[in-house]
Amino acid sequence: MKKLFGILLLLNFTLFSQPNYTILISFDGFRHDYMERGLTPTLKEIEKNGVRAASLRPVYPSKTFPNHYSIITGLYPENHGIIANTFYDPQTDETYTIGDSTKVTNAKWYTGEAFWETAQRNGIIAASYFWPGSEVKLDYRRPRYYMKYDHDRPYKTRVDGVIDWLKLPYSERPRFITLYFDAADSYGHNYGPDSDSLNHAIGILDRITSYLLSRLPETGIEDSVNLIFVSDHGMTQVDTSKYIDVEQIIGNEYKVKFWNWGTFVLIQPEKDQTEAVYKKLKQNEKHFKSYRKDEIPDFYHFSSSPLLSDIILVSDLGWEIGTTAHRKRYIKWNAHGNHGFEKDQLDMHGFFLAAGPDFRKGYKTGTLWNIDIYPLLCEIFGIPVRSNIDGRAERIRFLLTKNAF
Ligand code: AMP
Ligand code: ZN
Ligand code: ZN
């Protein structure tokens, strides 16, 4: 009898000492101010019961893959390896691009430790219903449950998948789950951040949140679930006439290779031509800035990447930069919104909203940094934060009830 009591006590202790469940939900491209348009009753209700930040500062470049991977690793792109959605590795002569699943699933590109790896190293099961980096082909670097990215997968199916995971038997149930929706980004690009169509996308995202909330009680653990909503970046209005044609500026005099375009360009001139090409660009600096590799300002957190070339050009907010051929594609694309610009431009800031047993209630705070979400997750799960990351628990832990003072 005494023994049985002991076992029950131990079981009880184990059950109660387990951390809560946490779902990290990304609304791609959901700008910090979209919740102020009167279109998000569900998110507003969550705000009342949880924590809302003025904005979430992205990392440079404010693109989807670099930022999702910074959120999940606590590292700047120069340290986690994914410096753009598409980039070239001069060491191996290979190009990484998010549309190529052989690249996206190859673990060698990802030089950070994602939170699902940290969690599983600590005996916490993780799952991902989409997240950049979650599909790598090495079992030990991947969440136990994951999905191959499918842009067209219906949103309800994604939520149903998460609910199914939360209904798994206790010993198989994930405690950390990621979930991803693209609508604000897709509509933002196509129609612009101030369009009715974008507002329609905001409505879609609010309704899918409501659907998630309506289904959580079926799991019986709804009171132990934290929801953290984030976005990877914001969106700004663009028009295709704002284009910087770098080939035209450099002219035919020099031989150069271009390795990226959009909001920044990597340029590798032929041997001995770097200084001359740099000078030419510097003289023509209008709506962009040119840097030699070793003079990129620290605030980009970019310069220690081994993937950079000799010259880097960064465009101003709203300006697209690249080659003549890319200009043609850009005009054809006819986008009304874009991102990728400097992280301190407010239009590039995403949103942060969280609620659940670990979060303070009705608490509003200023701008948070997205690299601090990884240490926040460590704190929620009681995992000591490694010191070799860029994120800092000190900047964000005050959001949690246990650290409220
Ligand atoms: P961008 O706006 O160019 O930074 O990228 C946004 C696009 O990234 C979205 O439209 C998605 O289709 C794509 N995307 C998001 N997550 C993933 C993923 N896990 N795997 C592949 N593509 C993704
Ligand atoms: Zn994005
Ligand atoms: Zn986008």
Side-chain angles (χ1 to χ4, degrees), residues 185 189 233 339:
D185 183 71
H189 282 298
H233 51 74
H339 53 90

Side-chain angles (χ1 to χ4, degrees), residues 29-38 40 184 188 193 198 202 235:
F30 195 96
R31 204 168 67 186
H32 63 94
D33 55 341
Y34 286 174
M35 265 181 70
E36 304 316 318
R37 296 188 177 183
T40 51
L198 187 274
I202 295 175
M235 187 68 70

Side-chain angles (χ1 to χ4, degrees), residues 28-29 63-65 68 180 185 232-233 339:
D28 196 319
K63 283 283 185 183
T64 297
F65 264 55
H68 277 91
Y180 168 87
D185 183 71
D232 48 352
H233 51 74
H339 53 90

Side-chain angles (χ1 to χ4, degrees), residues 21 23 156-169 173 208-225:
Y21 299 84
I23 310 178
K156 277 192 169 170
T157 311
R158 304 180 194 197
V159 171
D160 294 344
V162 168
I163 297 295
D164 287 347
W165 283 331
L166 290 175
K167 285 180 176 172
L168 283 171
R173 195 183 304 153
I208 200 65
T209 306
S210 168
Y211 178 66
L212 170 66
L213 295 184
S214 76
R215 292 218 51 202
L216 269 177
E218 290 169 34
T219 64
I221 52 168
E222 68 277 15
D223 293 337
S224 333
V225 179

Side-chain angles (χ1 to χ4, degrees), residues 225-261:
V225 179
N226 295 308
L227 299 177
I228 306 178
F229 296 85
V230 294
S231 55
D232 48 352
H233 51 74
M235 187 68 70
T236 199
Q237 186 74 32
V238 295
D239 85 72
T240 48
S241 67
K242 291 183 173 172
Y243 193 92
I244 304 144
D245 185 333
V246 188
E247 274 180 311
Q248 240 175 40
I249 296 174
I250 297 175
N252 302 326
E253 234 176 299
Y254 305 104
K255 265 200 118 150
V256 298
K257 276 189 186 157
F258 298 96
W259 286 337
N260 194 72
W261 46 80

